Amino acid sequence: MALLSPRVSARAAYLSSLPLGERDQPKRYPGPPRGLSLSLKRRGVKKRQPKGSAARNGSVASDGEQPRDALPLSGTKEKRKPKRNNISTCKYLAPLQSRQKALRRKAERRRADQKAPEPPAPTGPPHGEGGQSFYPRELSSSCSLLTLLQDLEKVQDSRARAAKLFQWLLAPVSLQEFFDQYWEKSPLLIHRHNPNYYQDLFSTAEFDNILRNHNVQFGVNLDVTSYEDGKRETHNPVGRAVPAVVWDFYRNGCSLRMLNPQAFSATVWHVLSILQEQFSSMVGANTYLTPAGAQGFAPHYDDIEAFVIQLEGKKHWRVYSPRQQAEMLPRFSSSNFSQMEIGEPILEIVLEAGDLLYFPRGFIHQGDCLPEAHSLHITVSSYQRNSWGDLLEKLLPAALQMAIEEDIEYRQGLPVDYLEYMGVINTDADDPRRTVFLQKIRTLLTKLMDYAPVDAAVDQKAKSFLHDCLPPVLTETEKALSVFRHPARWENGNVQNVDVQLEKTTQIRLLRYGIVRLCNEGDATLLYYTTENSRVYHKEEPKCCEIESEYIDGIEFLLSSYPNYICVDALPCGSLNDKIALATFLFEKGIILMSKVARTVSSCILRVMILLQASLRTPGSSS
């Protein structure tokens, strides 16, 4: 078994979070991706290496400049100040102190001049273009998030678990109604008048605790921003975001954006790791803490589906329709707009704690705090680079390559005189040769579908998704049935109970439905999995292993049987040794669970052996 998982440098991890406007496009590695190369026939020789740390930064959230901690984005035109060296010198401190003084003066002027009244309550439900209702609903009470997460532990199918959590998020709007009427079409506003509905998700107290107990870095994990007099600014110092500096910025009117709360908050990680199976697309989050009377970001639109969840306080929101068809469902986020460029809002509301606002990508939005209350909200988001066009970007080049290799018609030469009648200069020419030429192009494009490896292209999308995924959060029951509670340990000067007790009658099943994917890479078949991913976005290389052909049916059988348990002997892998080898490998990777009955039997056998050994060591015991 050869391990091929090189470490990622801190600089590379940081650069991967920056918009494409601030760095070059990421280079693609030629050939099969790096991962774990496995031969189950050589199980006798194991090579192990220490696992990397588990933290994740995968946000694709909204409410400001482009979500840098998701896939690298372009479209931002904001100029950034050159970074200074991280040294404590007077040359460095003087500009910082000067900037902080300026912020204090601005904050004092703002507090003195604040006269902005709260927007009047609408007399009727807000409507969009064509009279479509934004569906403001009320929900008086429901179970808390922590109670729901406990209840979801009893749901065996991870797909059903994801649907139930998403339904709770949107309640009382049904999932079918949401996807039929609002998804990628129109904003959705849910007023609950229940400030405690989302309170377990995140809080200012948890934000403060993260600052105190974690290595939060300015520009990587936290942004300090302001928007005043039509000017959007970022005020990030260099280095660690210590509470004294962060709260001083906040006191002086700056908004605080945490780019990857899932790397620090167990609850946010838990929620996002479940929801990603609902969308089959990466789900990320940003949190935004804004002082009363302040605004942190300029009007803009994003390239993600955004769910704004108000956690504390209140915030005044304005949402605008896409200005033109080219900006509907965009693939890239916009630069900052001026107020003159965006027209009148189609929705203007105040979100209070417990409320939710959804808007599709391409809808321009801006939020500001009212004079009397601060605001804390979290934006959960998904569906970045997950369109038909993104799939075709992978499909069409592969289809053309196959067509050229297999069909001589694609390799035949162009007409020797085609430059005489084709090209922009000849667009309006009335030449029958143009008609023949264009018909030939249509024929070749139509035939191209016969060579399109659609399933292989979908697998490539799935492979990217699994690399983006958060690692699964295991329940206590799942931990007890997985490798993470295996009794291997050091005791009495030696290792004990290292062997995995798997037999032909052992019951096994996948941990989650969406944690593995088989993909063909040339002549090899690779199994991608998420159990060893990091909570920091792309901190680890894609986790995969090469699977020999005789084991492919066994993995497919596990997928088709999910969420039911099956016997090891039922795996279609040939000999019993092959079945046990496959099951052992998957168990050691945390991909499958062993049934409680099997673990209980193994534990009983283990206890009997321990008691027997103890009795044999007891002085005076009979032999």
Side-chain angles (χ1 to χ4, degrees):
M1 190 185 301
L3 294 174
L4 304 171
S5 299
R7 290 177 58 85
V8 180
S9 69
R11 175 177 172 80
Y14 172 70
L15 289 177
S16 69
S17 70
L18 296 178
L20 291 184
E22 300 179 27
R23 64 181 184 86
D24 296 330
Q25 284 273 3
K27 296 180 180 179
R28 300 183 181 275
Y29 293 103
R34 301 165 182 166
L36 175 71
S37 178
L38 167 73
S39 173
L40 292 176
K41 292 180 178 179
R42 299 191 291 273
R43 286 286 301 174
V45 180
K46 298 182 181 180
K47 295 182 181 179
R48 301 182 182 272
Q49 73 176 22
K51 296 181 181 178
S53 61
R56 178 178 177 81
N57 166 17
S59 169
V60 286
S62 170
D63 191 32
E65 59 189 19
Q66 289 73 330
R68 304 181 303 167
D69 39 5
L71 296 177
L73 309 183
S74 66
T76 178
K77 298 180 181 178
E78 178 184 343
K79 295 182 179 178
R80 293 183 176 269
K81 298 179 180 179
K83 296 184 178 180
R84 302 179 177 89
N85 294 328
N86 187 11
I87 53 176
S88 298
T89 63
C90 294
K91 182 179 180 181
Y92 165 70
L93 291 177
L96 175 59
Q97 292 169 347
S98 176
R99 185 164 69 248
Q100 288 177 326
K101 289 180 182 178
L103 288 170
R104 291 191 185 99
R105 289 195 294 269
K106 286 184 178 180
E108 291 170 358
R109 289 198 302 269
R110 184 188 302 109
R111 285 192 288 268
D113 297 340
Q114 279 175 359
K115 298 179 181 180
E118 183 171 341
T123 56
H127 287 73
E129 295 181 356
Q132 183 178 13
S133 173
F134 288 117
Y135 213 100
R137 297 226 187 179
E138 297 182 2
L139 186 65
S140 58
S141 64
S142 185
C143 67
S144 68
L145 175 59
L146 294 183
T147 300
L148 175 68
L149 293 176
Q150 292 174 356
D151 291 342
L152 290 179
E153 293 182 5
K154 304 171 186 176
V155 179
Q156 295 300 310
D157 193 327
S158 57
R159 295 164 294 185
R161 194 180 300 178
K164 288 180 181 294
L165 177 57
F166 191 48
Q167 177 62 83
W168 176 86
L169 199 72
L170 295 177
V173 179
S174 70
L175 298 189
Q176 181 175 353
E177 180 180 2
F178 172 74
F179 284 110
D180 287 347
Q181 298 187 26
Y182 302 101
W183 179 252
E184 295 187 330
K185 300 180 185 73
S186 174
L188 169 65
L189 170 64
I190 300 177
H191 278 310
R192 285 202 172 82
H193 303 292
N194 179 2
N196 299 325
Y197 194 78
Y198 297 118
Q199 68 175 357
D200 296 327
L201 183 55
F202 196 78
S203 66
T204 305
E206 185 172 10
F207 180 89
D208 181 72
N209 181 66
I210 290 171
L211 292 178
R212 296 180 181 282
N213 297 292
H214 295 272
N215 184 16
V216 178
Q217 292 286 315
F218 283 114
V220 178
N221 312 115
L222 185 71
D223 278 337
V224 179
T225 67
S226 66
Y227 178 72
E228 191 171 20
D229 299 328
K231 185 179 182 181
R232 160 76 167 82
E233 292 185 284
T234 300
H235 308 283
N236 291 339
V238 176
R240 180 172 176 176
V242 295
V245 176
V246 172
W247 291 124
D248 185 54
F249 276 119
Y250 176 83
R251 184 180 60 181
N252 288 285
C254 290
S255 181
L256 307 175
R257 173 174 64 175
M258 181 165 286
L259 298 167
N260 56 333
Q262 58 271 30
F264 308 105
S265 168
T267 303
V268 175
W269 169 30
H270 196 175
V271 168
L272 301 187
S273 69
I274 294 175
L275 287 177
Q276 64 193 8
E277 215 161 336
Q278 168 68 32
F279 295 101
S280 297
S281 177
M282 174 183 164
V283 178
N286 289 342
T287 63
Y288 302 84
L289 181 61
T290 307
Q295 181 171 341
F297 298 91
H300 68 283
Y301 62 73
D302 292 305
D303 58 350
I304 44 83
E305 302 298 303
F307 299 85
V308 178
I309 298 171
Q310 192 69 26
L311 302 172
E312 297 175 7
K314 58 179 66 175
K315 199 164 197 177
H316 170 224
W317 282 90
R318 285 166 285 178
V319 182
Y320 308 77
S321 290
R323 301 177 303 171
Q324 52 187 324
Q325 188 174 9
E327 294 180 353
M328 298 176 64
L329 303 180
R331 296 185 66 226
F332 302 97
S333 297
S334 73
S335 57
N336 296 328
F337 294 122
S338 69
Q339 300 294 337
M340 299 296 294
E341 294 178 285
I342 55 180
E344 295 298 320
I346 59 171
L347 178 63
E348 183 171 7
I349 44 88
V350 173
L351 283 188
E352 300 186 6
D355 294 347
L356 177 143
L357 172 63
Y358 159 79
F359 46 81
R361 55 195 189 275
F363 277 74
I364 301 170
H365 53 278
Q366 61 177 320
D368 60 277
C369 274
L370 301 174
E372 70 273 13
H374 81 286
S375 169
L376 174 68
H377 79 266
I378 184 170
T379 300
V380 176
S381 53
S382 188
Y383 253 59
Q384 188 180 51
R385 311 289 191 277
N386 206 41
S387 66
W388 287 103
D390 294 295
L391 176 61
L392 290 173
E393 273 192 340
K394 295 182 177 294
L395 176 63
L396 293 181
L400 182 58
Q401 181 179 354
M402 292 181 64
I404 292 172
E405 291 176 357
E406 299 182 14
D407 192 332
I408 191 174
E409 191 172 4
Y410 289 87
R411 302 196 300 271
Q412 291 174 342
L414 294 166
V416 294
D417 59 348
Y418 79 104
L419 295 180
E420 297 177 6
Y421 52 85
M422 299 304 301
V424 175
I425 196 173
N426 297 306
T427 301
D428 298 326
D430 185 12
D431 192 320
R433 293 176 296 175
R434 283 184 58 85
T435 304
V436 175
F437 190 94
L438 293 174
Q439 183 57 45
K440 180 68 172 183
I441 294 293
R442 294 188 188 96
T443 301
L444 293 176
L445 288 175
T446 302
K447 285 181 63 177
L448 198 61
M449 184 59 196
D450 298 335
Y451 300 96
V454 178
D455 291 322
V458 170
D459 285 341
Q460 292 303 306
K461 285 287 293 178
K463 179 182 74 174
S464 298
F465 166 52
L466 262 65
H467 189 204
D468 296 341
C469 274
L470 286 160
V473 178
L474 273 64
T475 67
E476 289 302 314
T477 300
E478 290 169 340
K479 290 177 182 177
L481 302 179
S482 71
V483 69
F484 303 106
R485 292 285 171 84
H486 189 271
R489 65 191 184 280
W490 177 269
E491 186 177 79
N492 297 327
N494 203 350
V495 293
Q496 306 288 335
N497 309 313
V498 175
D499 294 334
V500 176
Q501 301 295 325
L502 280 169
E503 302 174 350
K504 63 183 296 184
T505 57
T506 302
Q507 299 280 317
I508 59 174
R509 55 158 269 194
L510 287 176
L511 171 65
R512 300 277 192 279
Y513 180 79
I515 63 170
V516 294
R517 187 79 180 193
L518 283 169
C519 297
N520 291 325
E521 302 281 350
D523 296 330
T525 300
L526 301 183
L527 177 69
Y528 288 85
Y529 56 96
T530 67
T531 53
E532 296 177 359
N533 279 8
S534 170
R535 288 163 68 180
V536 175
Y537 178 73
H538 285 192
K539 182 178 181 180
E540 302 288 341
E541 290 288 331
K543 301 301 180 181
C544 64
C545 58
E546 183 174 346
I547 297 293
E548 292 161 343
S549 58
E550 55 264 43
Y551 302 106
I552 294 174
D553 289 343
I555 294 173
E556 292 178 346
F557 187 62
L558 280 167
L559 279 165
S560 62
S561 301
Y562 182 85
N564 299 318
Y565 281 91
I566 62 169
C567 289
V568 170
D569 192 43
L571 292 171
C573 296
S575 71
L576 178 60
N577 286 338
D578 289 338
K579 298 175 183 181
I580 292 177
L582 175 61
T584 300
F585 168 75
L586 296 177
F587 182 78
E588 290 178 348
K589 286 295 175 185
I591 294 172
I592 64 172
L593 303 176
M594 192 188 304
S595 74
K596 188 175 182 179
V597 174
R599 293 300 293 271
T600 302
V601 172
S602 297
S603 298
C604 290
I605 295 174
L606 177 62
R607 292 193 190 98
V608 170
M609 294 177 64
I610 293 173
L611 292 173
L612 181 59
Q613 292 174 357
S615 65
L616 292 175
R617 291 195 301 267
T618 302
S621 62
S622 59
S623 57

